[in-house]
């Protein structure tokens, strides 16, 4: 099985887990996120959107998250939420909220002009942008703990709209994903308007990801013209990445391109285990560089600090390990995992009372937030209490 087919198979399996309605014979539902509705005064209609929250959202009460806004939510919510959840769990991207907006009239909402000779009813992109900026985004930011970093992702006509967003409201989002965008609209207006906007801009703190599928003929020429515009006319501070998926169909490529777009946006974010030996100072410098590239503060993630702590434990540097674990507890005092690691650090230095206290905090948090690995934390507390009563022999 090729790497690409293996990835597709794994994603399909993950999507099946997310989308199943219930376990056979038990009737216990499996639900991914929630569906909400907002009446839009701008559009004069009700709009439905779905929201996926990361695992830590329930317990990390002081944590705020970037938001990925996805167009054509009915088609792209499930695979995007699954990909975001998996990539974040692997430490490749930060945890984030996914907001997927269901479409009603795509031609109206995603096109800049009325191209009556080819399509009827276009030209509402500016109005749809007002809906996003004045209604949906404020509603999301009132309802959830967001950090102000917004990403807009669209496919096909939605990708055309993402390009329009970059040209018309370049600061509304920090990143734009245009997956197989429709570039032929109104005599190739998307490329022409982007070129004009980039040439007129001295600097731009934003990121654009563009991707194509198995395009040929004029569609391929249009895409190559867009890439040439990005290569020749990008202003200072503007990051972009173009990626071809020549073996993928127009409809299937977002499954892979969404993943690649997120990885490209957060290039340098992931720390491989082999790099942990560089030490804390080098890791902190790494995230400063990522922050500079994104023009957005990116702290060293809890998981990376945690792995550094266990490297220190393995090398016998228990004081350093405890300091690293304590750093995570101070940053995320409601993280059961952070307290559990701190308990391991204290146990390694034979500070049994502190180890038992940390394990007790860990179990209390696991109980409060109904974490699935509750039995593990209970076992850890029992072990630490046993050490407190009778320390292990040397």
């Amino acid at each position: 099985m090729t790497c690409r087919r293996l990835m597709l198979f794994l994603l399909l399996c993950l999507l099946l887990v997310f989308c199943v309605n219930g376990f056979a014979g038990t009737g216990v539902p499996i639900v991914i996120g929630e569906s909400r509705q907002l009446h839009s005064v701008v559009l004069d209609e009700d709009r439905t959107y779905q929201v996926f929250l990361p695992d830590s959202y329930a317990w990390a009460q002081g944590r705020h998250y970037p938001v990925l806004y996805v167009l054509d939510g009915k088609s792209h919510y499930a695979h995007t939420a699954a990909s975001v959840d998996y990539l974040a769990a692997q430490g490749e991207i930060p945890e984030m909220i996914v907001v997927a907006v269901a479409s009603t009239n795509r031609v109206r909402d995603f096109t800049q002009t009325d191209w009556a000779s080819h399509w009827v009813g276009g030209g509402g992109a500016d109005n749809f942008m007002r809906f996003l900026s004045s209604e949906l985004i404020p509603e999301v930011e009132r309802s959830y703990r967001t950090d102000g970093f917004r990403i807009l992702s669209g496919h096909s006509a939605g990708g055309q709209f993402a390009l329009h967003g970059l040209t018309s409201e370049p600061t509304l989002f920090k990143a734009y994903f245009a997956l197989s965008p429709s570039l032929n609209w109104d005599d190739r207006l998307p490329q022409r308007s982007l070129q004009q906007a980039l040439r007129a801009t001295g600097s731009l703190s934003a990121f654009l990801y563009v991707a194509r599928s198995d395009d040929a003929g004029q569609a391929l020429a249009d895409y190559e013209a867009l890439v040439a515009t990005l290569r020749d006319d990008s202003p200072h501070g503007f990051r972009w990445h173009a990626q071809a998926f020549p073996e993928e169909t127009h409809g299937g490529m977002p499954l892979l391109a969404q993943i690649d777009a997120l990885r490209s946006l957060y290039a340098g974010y992931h720390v491989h285990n082999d790099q942990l030996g560089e030490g804390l100072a080098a890791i902190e410098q790494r995230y400063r560089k990522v922050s500079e590239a994104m023009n957005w503060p990116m702290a060293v993630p809890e998981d990376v600090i945690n792995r550094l702590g266990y490297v220190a434990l393995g090398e016998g540097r228990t004081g350093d390990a405890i300091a690293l674990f304590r750093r995570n507890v101070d940053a995320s005092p409601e993280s059961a995992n952070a307290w559990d690691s701190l308990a391991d650090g204290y146990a390694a230095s034979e500070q049994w009372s502190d180890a038992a206290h940390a394990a007790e905090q860990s179990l209390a948090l696991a109980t409060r937030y109904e974490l699935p690995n509750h039995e593990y934390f209970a076992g850890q507390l029992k072990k630490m209490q046993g050490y407190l009563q009778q320390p292990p022999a040397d």
Side-chain angles (χ1 to χ4, degrees):
M1 184 178 290
T2 66
C3 181
R4 183 176 69 85
R5 291 185 180 277
L6 177 61
M7 180 180 290
L8 286 172
F9 173 75
L10 292 174
L11 279 172
L12 178 60
C13 292
L14 187 58
L15 286 173
L16 286 173
V17 170
F18 272 115
C19 296
V20 131
N21 289 325
F23 293 111
T26 66
V28 179
I30 299 176
V31 179
I32 172 172
E34 61 183 7
S35 180
R36 305 187 66 164
Q37 194 171 77
L38 170 67
H39 178 73
S40 170
V41 175
V42 172
L43 300 175
D44 191 26
E45 64 183 8
D46 292 335
R47 297 302 296 249
T48 300
Y49 62 99
Q50 293 169 287
V51 181
F52 167 80
L53 299 176
D55 287 341
S56 69
Y57 193 90
W59 57 261
Q61 300 295 317
R63 191 174 298 179
H64 292 72
Y65 302 83
V67 183
L68 171 58
Y69 289 86
V70 182
L71 304 178
D72 290 325
K74 186 176 181 180
S75 300
H76 299 301
Y77 172 63
H79 78 80
T80 299
S83 296
V84 164
D85 187 56
Y86 189 80
L87 291 173
Q90 303 308 307
E92 295 197 36
I93 64 172
E95 288 185 304
M96 63 179 62
I97 298 169
V98 176
V99 175
V101 187
S103 295
T104 56
N105 188 330
R106 300 176 76 251
V107 172
R108 178 199 67 188
D109 289 342
F110 296 159
T111 61
Q112 304 98 303
T113 57
D114 182 10
W115 195 22
S117 61
H118 291 72
W119 293 86
V120 177
D126 286 335
N127 212 37
F128 188 72
M129 185 62 72
R130 281 193 292 272
F131 159 69
L132 294 179
S133 63
S134 66
E135 295 181 326
L136 180 62
I137 290 174
E139 174 69 15
V140 169
E141 295 186 348
R142 281 192 298 267
S143 303
Y144 302 98
R145 299 194 307 274
T146 66
D147 71 357
F149 193 96
R150 309 184 199 105
I151 307 163
L152 177 65
S153 178
H155 168 242
S156 193
Q160 177 184 343
F161 179 81
L163 293 175
H164 175 66
L166 177 61
T167 62
S168 64
E169 294 280 353
T171 61
L172 184 60
F173 298 91
K174 299 292 282 185
Y176 299 80
F177 299 165
L179 313 181
S180 197
S182 302
L183 298 174
N184 64 330
W185 186 269
D186 199 356
D187 192 25
R188 295 156 188 82
L189 177 61
Q191 184 271 331
R192 292 187 289 110
S193 59
L194 178 64
Q195 184 179 60
Q196 181 180 8
L198 293 181
R199 287 179 175 178
T201 302
S203 64
L204 178 60
S205 176
F207 173 83
L208 172 65
Y209 177 94
V210 295
R212 69 168 178 88
S213 59
D214 55 352
D215 295 339
Q218 188 59 54
L220 179 57
D222 291 344
Y223 175 81
E224 290 175 344
L226 178 70
V227 173
T229 293
L230 295 172
R231 183 183 62 242
D232 299 337
D233 299 309
S234 289
H236 175 74
F238 180 59
R239 291 195 303 141
W240 63 275
H241 181 81
Q243 185 64 47
F245 294 90
E247 297 183 5
E248 303 299 327
T249 64
H250 176 76
M253 62 87 74
L255 186 65
L256 298 180
Q258 194 83 278
I259 294 172
D260 192 56
L262 289 164
R263 285 172 166 165
S264 299
L265 171 62
Y266 288 100
Y269 183 88
H270 181 253
V271 176
H272 192 274
N273 283 337
D274 292 343
Q275 298 169 314
L276 295 174
E278 298 172 5
L280 177 61
I283 297 297
E284 288 179 324
Q285 176 61 21
R286 179 190 188 92
Y287 282 92
R288 280 193 290 270
K289 289 182 178 179
V290 174
S291 300
E292 291 171 3
M294 300 186 66
N295 196 28
W296 195 262
M298 303 291 294
V300 182
E302 177 180 323
D303 172 67
V304 175
I305 295 294
N306 197 58
R307 286 189 284 148
L308 283 169
Y310 280 105
V311 168
L313 273 189
E315 295 175 349
R317 296 183 288 110
T318 55
D320 291 341
I322 290 172
L324 288 163
F325 295 144
R326 170 57 67 180
R327 172 171 166 167
N328 270 346
V329 166
D330 291 342
S332 300
E334 295 189 306
S335 170
N337 187 66
W339 282 101
D340 177 64
S341 297
L342 183 60
D344 283 343
Y346 283 136
S349 64
E350 300 183 355
Q351 299 180 53
W352 307 118
S353 178
D354 290 333
H357 171 72
E360 184 178 346
Q361 293 295 316
S362 180
L363 177 60
L365 291 167
T367 303
R368 181 189 308 172
Y369 296 111
E370 301 180 345
L371 300 184
N373 47 352
H374 181 274
E375 291 184 1
Y376 163 79
F377 294 111
Q380 284 290 89
L381 175 58
K382 184 177 181 180
K383 181 175 70 174
M384 297 303 173
Q385 288 175 335
Y387 290 163
L388 179 61
Q389 296 169 5
Q390 186 175 357
D394 293 337

